[in-house]
C-alpha cells in the first residue's frame, strides 16, 4: 500500500469512495448518512492545494495507483483534526484507514501539533470502537476545545446528532529535536609571554 498526496485527477474518485463508504450505514438504519453528499470538488481541491489531502493506493493491484481510501485534515487547537476519512468497502479490512491515520500521526508533530482528533459515531462498529483500538480515547465534555465545540455544533446543525457522537483524541509524541552538528574542533594555542 502506498500513501501519497492527492492529485487533482483523484478528486472525483474520492467522491465515489465517499458514496461507497456511506452505503454500510444503510444496514444500521442510518439512511441519511448513507445518502449524504460527498465533499464538493472545490472543497477537496482546497484541501489538496493546502497539502492536507492524502490517498491510499495499491500500486501492485489491478487498480494500480487508483485511490482506495482518503483522508482530509485541518489543524484545530494544536491538533490535526481528521475531517473525513473513508475507505472503499471493496478494500475494507486491509488496514488502509490505519495507514492513513499513521501518516497523519507521523506528519503532525513536525507541524507542532501534539495530537490527532476526530468526531465520530459512538455506536457504529467501524467508527468509535475501531478508533479506540488504534489509540484514540473519547474526550469528556470538559476536555473539548473551542474548535471541537464548533465542529460538534456544525455537525448537530447537519443532523448528525440523531445518533450518539463523540470527540476522540490520540496524543502524539513530539517530533524529535534536531541533533546539533558538532562544533568544529579548534586547536588550542598556548601563548607564552616573555616577562
Amino acid at each position: 500500500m502506498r500513501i501519497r498526496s492527492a492529485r487533482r485527477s483523484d478528486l472525483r474518485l474520492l467522491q465515489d469512495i465517499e458514496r461507497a463508504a456511506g452505503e454500510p450505514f444503510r444496514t444500521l438504519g442510518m439512511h441519511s448518512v448513507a445518502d449524504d453528499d460527498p465533499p464538493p470538488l472545490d472543497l477537496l481541491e482546497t484541501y489538496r492545494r493546502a497539502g492536507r489531502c492524502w490517498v491510499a493506493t495499491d500500486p501492485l493491484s489491478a487498480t494500480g495507483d487508483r485511490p482506495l481510501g482518503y483522508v482530509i485534515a485541518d489543524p484545530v487547537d494544536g491538533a490535526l483534526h481528521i475531517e473525513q476519512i473513508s475507505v472503499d468497502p471493496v478494500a475494507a479490512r486491509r488496514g488502509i484507514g490505519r495507514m492513513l491515520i499513521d501518516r497523519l500521526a507521523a506528519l503532525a508533530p513536525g507541524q507542532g501539533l501534539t495530537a490527532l482528533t476526530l468526531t465520530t459515531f459512538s455506536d457504529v462498529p467501524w467508527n468509535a470502537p475501531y478508533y479506540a483500538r488504534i489509540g484514540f480515547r473519547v474526550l469528556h465534555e470538559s476536555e473539548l476545545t473551542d474548535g471541537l465545540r464548533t465542529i460538534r455544533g456544525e455537525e448537530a446543525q447537519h443532523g448528525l446528532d440523531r445518533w450518539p457522537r463523540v470527540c476522540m483524541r490520540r496524543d502524539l509524541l513530539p517530533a524529535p529535536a534536531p541533533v546539533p552538528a558538532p562544533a568544529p574542533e579548534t586547536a588550542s594555542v598556548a601563548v607564552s609571554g616573555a616577562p
Side-chain angles (χ1 to χ4, degrees), residues 51-182:
R52 292 185 278 118
C53 181
W54 298 268
V55 299
T57 67
D58 186 355
L60 302 178
S61 76
T63 60
D65 202 38
R66 181 185 174 97
L68 299 171
Y70 79 99
V71 64
I72 55 178
D74 290 309
V76 175
D77 299 333
L80 190 54
H81 182 76
I82 299 170
E83 176 59 32
Q84 184 63 45
I85 183 166
S86 295
V87 175
D88 192 322
V90 301
R93 302 196 180 280
R94 292 174 51 188
I96 294 172
R98 180 187 296 249
M99 284 185 268
L100 287 164
I101 289 170
D102 286 347
R103 172 58 62 92
L104 297 183
L107 294 173
Q111 299 172 21
L113 303 171
T114 61
L116 300 179
T117 59
L118 55 83
T119 59
T120 193
F121 295 110
S122 61
D123 298 335
V124 173
W126 59 89
N127 280 192
Y130 167 76
Y131 296 121
R133 287 193 303 274
I134 62 170
F136 285 82
R137 67 179 179 83
V138 173
L139 294 175
H140 299 289
E141 186 68 26
S142 62
E143 296 178 283
L144 299 185
T145 64
D146 290 342
L148 289 175
R149 287 179 201 283
T150 298
I151 290 167
R152 286 291 293 119
E154 291 167 356
E155 291 176 345
Q157 288 179 347
H158 194 66
L160 293 177
D161 278 7
R162 289 180 54 202
W163 304 276
R165 286 185 69 78
V166 292
C167 291
M168 300 183 80
R169 179 181 175 97
R170 177 173 155 185
D171 291 311
L172 303 173
L173 297 174
V179 177

